[in-house]
Amino acid sequence: MKIMSKIRTAFFCQNCGYESAKWNGKCPSCGEWNTFVEERVLKDIPHKQADWKNNDTTSPRTHKIINLAEVVTKDEERILTPDNELNRVLGGGIVAGSLVLVGGEPGIGKSTLFLQNALQLKHIKTLYISGEESEQQIKMRADRIQNSNEQFYLLTETSTQTIFQEIKKLQPQLVIVDSIQTLHSPFIESAPGSVSQIRETTAELQRFAKESNTPVFLIGHITKDGSIAGPKVLEHMVDTVLQFEGDQHYAYRILRTIKNRFGSTAELGIYEMTGTGLRQVTNPSEILISQREDLLSGVAIAATMEGMRPLLVEVQALVTQSVYGTPQRTATGFDLRRLQLLLAVLEKRGGFHFGVKDVFLNIAGGIRVEDPAIDLAVLCALLSSYEDNAISPKICFSGEVGLSGEIRAVNRIEQRIAEAEKLGFEKIFISRYNKKGIDFSKFHIEVIAVGRVEEVYQRLF
Ligand code: TYD
Ligand code: MG
């Protein structure tokens, strides 16, 4: 029943979710321009109607002042999934009553990842709510993953009211919503995917998760600029934000923790998309380094860290004579400005003439590396291609390069060295400043400490 007089409109910033009675050119909250959109909302609807319980019982929690010392903590209940990558990223399994948001570009494999996990949790009654695909489509995907589970239930529905009715009947132990942008609450007038809808439906699901102690996963699309479509408030409302990323043209996918109330945000899970679903990658370094017999110039291996995990990646560079007036610089998986900076360092400190060369840089495997310790390998790959002189595949590098050509120390050097040793490398180049307080005698790999770019060059070529 809709009563016209109760309908009101408000303006919402599409970036941060700020609500205003009038239109603003610039958002007073986040400072973005032209982000206000008018949305229709209903006036003062008591929220308990939308609640999953649908009755008047008040929350069992009583609020009174309590001395912190009297608060009893108990270990969080966690559901361990057979997927160790997911467990790790969540900080050790799915926390009861937690609300987890998973973002990722369309087609990256979010639905596959959660369908697959739900199908593997044989003893957990799981409800998968899909607003995007039909039962047949999901069944086809499940067949492709080659897994079935008697405790797996499917609901293709987008109205939160109906969803909560069904949840009340089924009493699931885990709920997955694919995707939050398709849901709509009957208490809000605006279209699914709008700021006010996303905010309201998430709030309803949050209440459900907390009051019933059921974990809820929300799948969300991200926009071109990489943020989860919908307001930033969404990220504040949930306990954990995960991001699923990767290059569409490669099989590798990375699940990253952006925010986690129950664990570290430095965690990372790696998967490979196969013809039968996602496969956990337990030893990522081995696949990220291409197997090769012959020596190629322009290739250098970097000992990087992705979160808490050491990861050896291959850097490929191609330096050729420029045929046009302005030399080209292209980087895939590495920051272009950082590449330009390294080229300037080589030009100025090493006297190399990159100004007349086209430079192409690629990180193998389609992954993106943010760790500054990759600098040294990038620099050596560039030099190797410039000189057309191959670097032995038994050598790897870990160091940041400063503007004056100095090799700077990086964090967790021991872990990096240990990983390189484990993978059979014979030499690793690190910064001289990383030597302090570390006992290198325990390593069998030869550790070469260098202070400047010139030293590396002399040692290599
Ligand atoms: P999907 O999970 O639908 O992505 P999202 O939910 O993030 O939009 O996965 C999309 C892609 O994954 C699609 O291009 C097909 C591919 N895929 C495989 O390669 N192997 C598989 O087993 C499955 C299920 C999907
Ligand atoms: Mg999907």
Side-chain angles (χ1 to χ4, degrees), residues 114-126:
F114 285 94
L115 180 66
Q116 187 173 327
N117 264 289
L119 290 172
Q120 280 169 353
L121 283 167
K122 306 273 185 219
H123 308 292
I124 306 285
K125 196 195 273 182
T126 307

Side-chain angles (χ1 to χ4, degrees), residues 111 132-133 141 178:
S111 304
E132 304 208 326
E133 290 159 312
R141 184 178 291 132
D178 188 3

Side-chain angles (χ1 to χ4, degrees), residues 352-403:
F352 298 96
H353 301 296
F354 281 97
V356 292
K357 307 277 189 188
D358 286 343
V359 176
F360 305 93
L361 190 81
N362 180 35
I363 309 295
I367 62 161
R368 204 181 161 76
V369 179
E370 309 278 353
D371 182 4
I374 196 175
D375 282 359
L376 189 55
V378 170
L379 197 119
C380 292
L382 291 169
L383 286 174
S384 164
S385 181
Y386 184 96
E387 296 288 341
D388 200 15
N389 197 342
I391 299 170
S392 157
K394 295 285 170 205
I395 300 179
C396 64
F397 305 87
S398 199
E400 187 181 344
V401 177
L403 283 184

Side-chain angles (χ1 to χ4, degrees), residues 245-315:
E245 54 189 47
D247 192 317
Q248 295 269 6
H249 305 292
Y250 291 91
Y252 300 109
R253 302 281 182 270
I254 292 178
L255 188 63
R256 218 184 267 282
T257 323
I258 309 286
K259 159 183 176 178
N260 196 357
R261 287 191 181 140
F262 313 109
S264 150
T265 50
E267 292 300 352
L268 187 95
I270 303 181
Y271 298 88
E272 183 185 358
M273 181 62 94
T274 68
T276 53
L278 288 154
R279 188 180 69 83
Q280 300 172 44
V281 174
T282 38
N283 190 356
S285 297
E286 272 175 15
I287 31 168
L288 291 175
I289 299 171
S290 57
Q291 268 62 46
R292 61 202 150 91
E293 306 273 281
D294 44 344
L295 286 174
L296 298 173
S297 69
V299 174
I301 311 291
T304 66
M305 296 287 296
E306 269 294 352
M308 307 299 273
R309 291 167 96 185
L311 191 67
L312 277 97
V313 296
E314 183 175 305
V315 181

Side-chain angles (χ1 to χ4, degrees), residues 104-204:
E105 282 176 25
I108 208 76
K110 302 178 294 299
S111 304
T112 308
L113 180 66
F114 285 94
L115 180 66
Q116 187 173 327
N117 264 289
L119 290 172
Q120 280 169 353
L121 283 167
K122 306 273 185 219
H123 308 292
I124 306 285
K125 196 195 273 182
T126 307
L127 176 63
Y128 189 100
I129 300 162
S130 180
E132 304 208 326
E133 290 159 312
S134 66
E135 283 105 348
Q136 288 77 14
Q137 281 172 306
I138 296 167
K139 175 79 173 130
M140 272 160 60
R141 184 178 291 132
D143 289 343
R144 199 165 164 190
I145 300 169
Q146 294 165 357
N147 212 329
S148 62
N149 183 353
E150 287 180 4
Q151 292 277 56
F152 180 84
Y153 295 87
L154 197 59
L155 174 64
T156 48
E157 176 56 56
T158 55
S159 159
T160 51
Q161 207 172 31
T162 322
I163 288 172
F164 286 126
Q165 277 163 11
E166 295 299 315
I167 284 180
K168 242 170 80 180
K169 279 188 241 158
L170 182 71
Q171 300 282 339
Q173 294 162 281
L174 174 67
V175 175
I176 298 166
V177 177
D178 188 3
S179 63
I180 185 69
Q181 278 101 353
T182 58
L183 292 196
H184 69 93
S185 166
F187 302 98
I188 296 280
E189 274 282 303
S190 55
S194 64
V195 173
S196 45
Q197 276 294 2
I198 290 183
R199 203 162 62 169
E200 174 61 22
T201 50
T202 307
E204 289 173 15

